[in-house]
Amino acid sequence: MAAVDPLTAGAVFIATAATDAVYVMFTSAVIARKRVPAANWSAVWYLLSSYAVISYTENPFYVAFAAIGSWAGAYASLTFLHRPPGGPPVGASPE
């Protein structure tokens, strides 16, 4: 069993946290029907997720860091995007 490299574990954590944050932004752009932002966020999403997958497939212990990073990214991005109930989605045009 290969040892866990702290630098790689941290990079996987950051990559998956960023991936989930970008996914939330992608979903928000889709809900707001913003085609170009949605396409841009989608491209960034795949770049980040590819890095994480390539990094942790060498050692299955990195999956734990990916899961923790994923949770942190989704939590942070939803905190940033918090809107009152019934408010417009992020990216919606103000009236």
Side-chain angles (χ1 to χ4, degrees), residues 14-54:
I14 290 168
T16 53
T19 299
D20 268 52
V22 167
Y23 177 72
V24 170
M25 297 303 290
F26 164 75
T27 302
S28 179
V30 169
I31 290 169
R33 298 187 185 274
K34 302 281 189 171
R35 291 179 292 180
V36 172
N40 291 341
W41 286 120
S42 180
V44 173
W45 174 24
Y46 274 93
L47 288 172
L48 290 168
S49 62
S50 296
Y51 170 78
V53 168
I54 290 166

Side-chain angles (χ1 to χ4, degrees), residues 42-88:
S42 180
V44 173
W45 174 24
Y46 274 93
L47 288 172
L48 290 168
S49 62
S50 296
Y51 170 78
V53 168
I54 290 166
S55 295
Y56 71 68
T57 52
E58 294 177 12
N59 185 338
F61 286 112
Y62 292 126
V63 174
F65 293 98
I68 294 166
S70 176
W71 187 93
Y75 183 87
S77 59
L78 285 175
T79 298
F80 171 73
L81 294 175
H82 179 71
R83 297 286 189 255

